[in-house]
mmCIF file with all atom_site columns, all heavy atoms in Angstrom:
data_model
loop_
_atom_site.group_PDB
_atom_site.id
_atom_site.type_symbol
_atom_site.label_atom_id
_atom_site.label_alt_id
_atom_site.label_comp_id
_atom_site.label_asym_id
_atom_site.label_entity_id
_atom_site.label_seq_id
_atom_site.pdbx_PDB_ins_code
_atom_site.Cartn_x
_atom_site.Cartn_y
_atom_site.Cartn_z
_atom_site.occupancy
_atom_site.B_iso_or_equiv
_atom_site.pdbx_formal_charge
_atom_site.auth_seq_id
_atom_site.auth_comp_id
_atom_site.auth_asym_id
_atom_site.auth_atom_id
_atom_site.pdbx_PDB_model_num
ATOM 1   N N   . GLU A 1 50 ? 15.472 1.033  9.152  1.00 64.00 ? 50 GLU A N   1
ATOM 2   C CA  . GLU A 1 50 ? 14.210 1.101  8.412  1.00 64.00 ? 50 GLU A CA  1
ATOM 3   C C   . GLU A 1 50 ? 14.020 2.445  7.715  1.00 64.00 ? 50 GLU A C   1
ATOM 4   O O   . GLU A 1 50 ? 12.934 2.766  7.264  1.00 64.00 ? 50 GLU A O   1
ATOM 5   C CB  . GLU A 1 50 ? 13.017 0.842  9.351  1.00 64.00 ? 50 GLU A CB  1
ATOM 6   C CG  . GLU A 1 50 ? 13.065 -0.495 10.055 1.00 64.00 ? 50 GLU A CG  1
ATOM 7   C CD  . GLU A 1 50 ? 12.880 -1.666 9.105  1.00 64.00 ? 50 GLU A CD  1
ATOM 8   O OE1 . GLU A 1 50 ? 11.937 -1.668 8.319  1.00 64.00 ? 50 GLU A OE1 1
ATOM 9   O OE2 . GLU A 1 50 ? 13.717 -2.585 9.164  1.00 64.00 ? 50 GLU A OE2 1
ATOM 10  N N   . ASN A 1 51 ? 15.094 3.293  7.687  1.00 73.00 ? 51 ASN A N   1
ATOM 11  C CA  . ASN A 1 51 ? 15.012 4.594  7.007  1.00 73.00 ? 51 ASN A CA  1
ATOM 12  C C   . ASN A 1 51 ? 13.850 5.449  7.506  1.00 73.00 ? 51 ASN A C   1
ATOM 13  O O   . ASN A 1 51 ? 13.047 5.958  6.727  1.00 73.00 ? 51 ASN A O   1
ATOM 14  C CB  . ASN A 1 51 ? 14.900 4.392  5.489  1.00 73.00 ? 51 ASN A CB  1
ATOM 15  C CG  . ASN A 1 51 ? 16.171 3.831  4.896  1.00 73.00 ? 51 ASN A CG  1
ATOM 16  O OD1 . ASN A 1 51 ? 17.271 4.207  5.296  1.00 73.00 ? 51 ASN A OD1 1
ATOM 17  N ND2 . ASN A 1 51 ? 16.032 2.913  3.950  1.00 73.00 ? 51 ASN A ND2 1
ATOM 18  N N   . VAL A 1 52 ? 13.783 5.613  8.825  1.00 84.00 ? 52 VAL A N   1
ATOM 19  C CA  . VAL A 1 52 ? 12.722 6.430  9.413  1.00 84.00 ? 52 VAL A CA  1
ATOM 20  C C   . VAL A 1 52 ? 13.284 7.774  9.847  1.00 84.00 ? 52 VAL A C   1
ATOM 21  O O   . VAL A 1 52 ? 14.474 7.914  10.135 1.00 84.00 ? 52 VAL A O   1
ATOM 22  C CB  . VAL A 1 52 ? 12.077 5.723  10.623 1.00 84.00 ? 52 VAL A CB  1
ATOM 23  C CG1 . VAL A 1 52 ? 11.375 4.455  10.205 1.00 84.00 ? 52 VAL A CG1 1
ATOM 24  C CG2 . VAL A 1 52 ? 13.110 5.437  11.705 1.00 84.00 ? 52 VAL A CG2 1
ATOM 25  N N   . THR A 1 53 ? 12.423 8.781  9.882  1.00 88.00 ? 53 THR A N   1
ATOM 26  C CA  . THR A 1 53 ? 12.784 10.078 10.441 1.00 88.00 ? 53 THR A CA  1
ATOM 27  C C   . THR A 1 53 ? 12.670 9.999  11.959 1.00 88.00 ? 53 THR A C   1
ATOM 28  O O   . THR A 1 53 ? 11.674 9.491  12.481 1.00 88.00 ? 53 THR A O   1
ATOM 29  C CB  . THR A 1 53 ? 11.854 11.173 9.897  1.00 88.00 ? 53 THR A CB  1
ATOM 30  O OG1 . THR A 1 53 ? 11.996 11.242 8.481  1.00 88.00 ? 53 THR A OG1 1
ATOM 31  C CG2 . THR A 1 53 ? 12.188 12.521 10.508 1.00 88.00 ? 53 THR A CG2 1
ATOM 32  N N   . THR A 1 54 ? 13.678 10.502 12.670 1.00 91.00 ? 54 THR A N   1
ATOM 33  C CA  . THR A 1 54 ? 13.695 10.422 14.133 1.00 91.00 ? 54 THR A CA  1
ATOM 34  C C   . THR A 1 54 ? 13.559 11.813 14.724 1.00 91.00 ? 54 THR A C   1
ATOM 35  O O   . THR A 1 54 ? 14.306 12.731 14.348 1.00 91.00 ? 54 THR A O   1
ATOM 36  C CB  . THR A 1 54 ? 14.995 9.767  14.628 1.00 91.00 ? 54 THR A CB  1
ATOM 37  O OG1 . THR A 1 54 ? 15.130 8.484  14.023 1.00 91.00 ? 54 THR A OG1 1
ATOM 38  C CG2 . THR A 1 54 ? 14.981 9.611  16.135 1.00 91.00 ? 54 THR A CG2 1
ATOM 39  N N   . THR A 1 55 ? 12.627 11.978 15.629 1.00 93.00 ? 55 THR A N   1
ATOM 40  C CA  . THR A 1 55 ? 12.422 13.234 16.345 1.00 93.00 ? 55 THR A CA  1
ATOM 41  C C   . THR A 1 55 ? 12.815 13.042 17.799 1.00 93.00 ? 55 THR A C   1
ATOM 42  O O   . THR A 1 55 ? 12.342 12.106 18.449 1.00 93.00 ? 55 THR A O   1
ATOM 43  C CB  . THR A 1 55 ? 10.951 13.685 16.259 1.00 93.00 ? 55 THR A CB  1
ATOM 44  O OG1 . THR A 1 55 ? 10.596 13.840 14.884 1.00 93.00 ? 55 THR A OG1 1
ATOM 45  C CG2 . THR A 1 55 ? 10.730 14.997 16.986 1.00 93.00 ? 55 THR A CG2 1
ATOM 46  N N   . VAL A 1 56 ? 13.694 13.915 18.311 1.00 94.00 ? 56 VAL A N   1
ATOM 47  C CA  . VAL A 1 56 ? 14.163 13.838 19.697 1.00 94.00 ? 56 VAL A CA  1
ATOM 48  C C   . VAL A 1 56 ? 13.607 15.028 20.460 1.00 94.00 ? 56 VAL A C   1
ATOM 49  O O   . VAL A 1 56 ? 13.807 16.189 20.052 1.00 94.00 ? 56 VAL A O   1
ATOM 50  C CB  . VAL A 1 56 ? 15.708 13.822 19.768 1.00 94.00 ? 56 VAL A CB  1
ATOM 51  C CG1 . VAL A 1 56 ? 16.170 13.697 21.222 1.00 94.00 ? 56 VAL A CG1 1
ATOM 52  C CG2 . VAL A 1 56 ? 16.272 12.681 18.931 1.00 94.00 ? 56 VAL A CG2 1
ATOM 53  N N   . VAL A 1 57 ? 12.929 14.742 21.579 1.00 95.00 ? 57 VAL A N   1
ATOM 54  C CA  . VAL A 1 57 ? 12.285 15.784 22.381 1.00 95.00 ? 57 VAL A CA  1
ATOM 55  C C   . VAL A 1 57 ? 12.890 15.788 23.778 1.00 95.00 ? 57 VAL A C   1
ATOM 56  O O   . VAL A 1 57 ? 12.854 14.765 24.482 1.00 95.00 ? 57 VAL A O   1
ATOM 57  C CB  . VAL A 1 57 ? 10.763 15.559 22.470 1.00 95.00 ? 57 VAL A CB  1
ATOM 58  C CG1 . VAL A 1 57 ? 10.102 16.657 23.302 1.00 95.00 ? 57 VAL A CG1 1
ATOM 59  C CG2 . VAL A 1 57 ? 10.140 15.503 21.083 1.00 95.00 ? 57 VAL A CG2 1
ATOM 60  N N   . ASP A 1 58 ? 13.455 16.922 24.180 1.00 95.00 ? 58 ASP A N   1
ATOM 61  C CA  . ASP A 1 58 ? 14.006 17.087 25.523 1.00 95.00 ? 58 ASP A CA  1
ATOM 62  C C   . ASP A 1 58 ? 12.885 17.522 26.470 1.00 95.00 ? 58 ASP A C   1
ATOM 63  O O   . ASP A 1 58 ? 11.946 18.217 26.060 1.00 95.00 ? 58 ASP A O   1
ATOM 64  C CB  . ASP A 1 58 ? 15.115 18.139 25.488 1.00 95.00 ? 58 ASP A CB  1
ATOM 65  C CG  . ASP A 1 58 ? 15.959 18.144 26.761 1.00 95.00 ? 58 ASP A CG  1
ATOM 66  O OD1 . ASP A 1 58 ? 15.805 17.208 27.565 1.00 95.00 ? 58 ASP A OD1 1
ATOM 67  O OD2 . ASP A 1 58 ? 16.766 19.091 26.923 1.00 95.00 ? 58 ASP A OD2 1
ATOM 68  N N   . THR A 1 59 ? 12.967 17.118 27.726 1.00 94.00 ? 59 THR A N   1
ATOM 69  C CA  . THR A 1 59 ? 11.927 17.470 28.706 1.00 94.00 ? 59 THR A CA  1
ATOM 70  C C   . THR A 1 59 ? 12.566 17.886 30.027 1.00 94.00 ? 59 THR A C   1
ATOM 71  O O   . THR A 1 59 ? 13.755 17.651 30.272 1.00 94.00 ? 59 THR A O   1
ATOM 72  C CB  . THR A 1 59 ? 10.981 16.283 28.977 1.00 94.00 ? 59 THR A CB  1
ATOM 73  O OG1 . THR A 1 59 ? 11.730 15.197 29.554 1.00 94.00 ? 59 THR A OG1 1
ATOM 74  C CG2 . THR A 1 59 ? 10.290 15.820 27.707 1.00 94.00 ? 59 THR A CG2 1
ATOM 75  N N   . SER A 1 60 ? 11.742 18.487 30.873 1.00 93.00 ? 60 SER A N   1
ATOM 76  C CA  . SER A 1 60 ? 12.168 18.907 32.206 1.00 93.00 ? 60 SER A CA  1
ATOM 77  C C   . SER A 1 60 ? 11.400 18.115 33.251 1.00 93.00 ? 60 SER A C   1
ATOM 78  O O   . SER A 1 60 ? 10.229 17.794 33.057 1.00 93.00 ? 60 SER A O   1
ATOM 79  C CB  . SER A 1 60 ? 11.922 20.408 32.401 1.00 93.00 ? 60 SER A CB  1
ATOM 80  O OG  . SER A 1 60 ? 12.148 20.788 33.745 1.00 93.00 ? 60 SER A OG  1
ATOM 81  N N   . ALA A 1 61 ? 12.071 17.841 34.383 1.00 92.00 ? 61 ALA A N   1
ATOM 82  C CA  . ALA A 1 61 ? 11.426 17.114 35.478 1.00 92.00 ? 61 ALA A CA  1
ATOM 83  C C   . ALA A 1 61 ? 10.846 18.045 36.525 1.00 92.00 ? 61 ALA A C   1
ATOM 84  O O   . ALA A 1 61 ? 10.291 17.580 37.533 1.00 92.00 ? 61 ALA A O   1
ATOM 85  C CB  . ALA A 1 61 ? 12.433 16.165 36.129 1.00 92.00 ? 61 ALA A CB  1
ATOM 86  N N   . LEU A 1 62 ? 10.944 19.334 36.293 1.00 93.00 ? 62 LEU A N   1
ATOM 87  C CA  . LEU A 1 62 ? 10.426 20.288 37.275 1.00 93.00 ? 62 LEU A CA  1
ATOM 88  C C   . LEU A 1 62 ? 8.905  20.165 37.390 1.00 93.00 ? 62 LEU A C   1
ATOM 89  O O   . LEU A 1 62 ? 8.219  19.938 36.383 1.00 93.00 ? 62 LEU A O   1
ATOM 90  C CB  . LEU A 1 62 ? 10.807 21.712 36.879 1.00 93.00 ? 62 LEU A CB  1
ATOM 91  C CG  . LEU A 1 62 ? 12.317 22.025 36.875 1.00 93.00 ? 62 LEU A CG  1
ATOM 92  C CD1 . LEU A 1 62 ? 12.572 23.419 36.332 1.00 93.00 ? 62 LEU A CD1 1
ATOM 93  C CD2 . LEU A 1 62 ? 12.888 21.876 38.285 1.00 93.00 ? 62 LEU A CD2 1
ATOM 94  N N   . PRO A 1 63 ? 8.359  20.337 38.614 1.00 92.00 ? 63 PRO A N   1
ATOM 95  C CA  . PRO A 1 63 ? 6.903  20.198 38.801 1.00 92.00 ? 63 PRO A CA  1
ATOM 96  C C   . PRO A 1 63 ? 6.087  21.128 37.912 1.00 92.00 ? 63 PRO A C   1
ATOM 97  O O   . PRO A 1 63 ? 5.029  20.752 37.419 1.00 92.00 ? 63 PRO A O   1
ATOM 98  C CB  . PRO A 1 63 ? 6.710  20.513 40.286 1.00 92.00 ? 63 PRO A CB  1
ATOM 99  C CG  . PRO A 1 63 ? 8.035  20.209 40.914 1.00 92.00 ? 63 PRO A CG  1
ATOM 100 C CD  . PRO A 1 63 ? 9.064  20.543 39.886 1.00 92.00 ? 63 PRO A CD  1
ATOM 101 N N   . GLN A 1 64 ? 6.580  22.349 37.707 1.00 93.00 ? 64 GLN A N   1
ATOM 102 C CA  . GLN A 1 64 ? 5.816  23.301 36.896 1.00 93.00 ? 64 GLN A CA  1
ATOM 103 C C   . GLN A 1 64 ? 5.782  22.924 35.411 1.00 93.00 ? 64 GLN A C   1
ATOM 104 O O   . GLN A 1 64 ? 4.994  23.481 34.644 1.00 93.00 ? 64 GLN A O   1
ATOM 105 C CB  . GLN A 1 64 ? 6.363  24.723 37.069 1.00 93.00 ? 64 GLN A CB  1
ATOM 106 C CG  . GLN A 1 64 ? 7.814  24.902 36.677 1.00 93.00 ? 64 GLN A CG  1
ATOM 107 C CD  . GLN A 1 64 ? 8.752  24.723 37.859 1.00 93.00 ? 64 GLN A CD  1
ATOM 108 O OE1 . GLN A 1 64 ? 8.431  23.965 38.781 1.00 93.00 ? 64 GLN A OE1 1
ATOM 109 N NE2 . GLN A 1 64 ? 9.889  25.429 37.827 1.00 93.00 ? 64 GLN A NE2 1
ATOM 110 N N   . GLU A 1 65 ? 6.645  21.995 34.994 1.00 92.00 ? 65 GLU A N   1
ATOM 111 C CA  . GLU A 1 65 ? 6.674  21.543 33.600 1.00 92.00 ? 65 GLU A CA  1
ATOM 112 C C   . GLU A 1 65 ? 5.993  20.188 33.416 1.00 92.00 ? 65 GLU A C   1
ATOM 113 O O   . GLU A 1 65 ? 6.113  19.568 32.363 1.00 92.00 ? 65 GLU A O   1
ATOM 114 C CB  . GLU A 1 65 ? 8.125  21.450 33.116 1.00 92.00 ? 65 GLU A CB  1
ATOM 115 C CG  . GLU A 1 65 ? 8.888  22.750 33.136 1.00 92.00 ? 65 GLU A CG  1
ATOM 116 C CD  . GLU A 1 65 ? 8.316  23.754 32.143 1.00 92.00 ? 65 GLU A CD  1
ATOM 117 O OE1 . GLU A 1 65 ? 7.702  23.317 31.143 1.00 92.00 ? 65 GLU A OE1 1
ATOM 118 O OE2 . GLU A 1 65 ? 8.482  24.963 32.364 1.00 92.00 ? 65 GLU A OE2 1
ATOM 119 N N   . ARG A 1 66 ? 5.276  19.751 34.445 1.00 93.00 ? 66 ARG A N   1
ATOM 120 C CA  . ARG A 1 66 ? 4.713  18.402 34.417 1.00 93.00 ? 66 ARG A CA  1
ATOM 121 C C   . ARG A 1 66 ? 3.663  18.219 33.313 1.00 93.00 ? 66 ARG A C   1
ATOM 122 O O   . ARG A 1 66 ? 3.572  17.149 32.705 1.00 93.00 ? 66 ARG A O   1
ATOM 123 C CB  . ARG A 1 66 ? 4.119  18.080 35.788 1.00 93.00 ? 66 ARG A CB  1
ATOM 124 C CG  . ARG A 1 66 ? 3.856  16.601 36.066 1.00 93.00 ? 66 ARG A CG  1
ATOM 125 C CD  . ARG A 1 66 ? 5.120  15.772 35.951 1.00 93.00 ? 66 ARG A CD  1
ATOM 126 N NE  . ARG A 1 66 ? 6.247  16.210 36.734 1.00 93.00 ? 66 ARG A NE  1
ATOM 127 C CZ  . ARG A 1 66 ? 6.469  15.921 38.012 1.00 93.00 ? 66 ARG A CZ  1
ATOM 128 N NH1 . ARG A 1 66 ? 5.605  15.176 38.668 1.00 93.00 ? 66 ARG A NH1 1
ATOM 129 N NH2 . ARG A 1 66 ? 7.544  16.361 38.625 1.00 93.00 ? 66 ARG A NH2 1
#
Side-chain angles (χ1 to χ4, degrees):
E50 302 292 310
N51 292 321
V52 296
T53 299
T54 304
T55 301
V56 182
V57 180
D58 193 11
T59 63
S60 172
L62 296 174
Q64 60 267 30
E65 299 294 334
R66 197 58 54 84

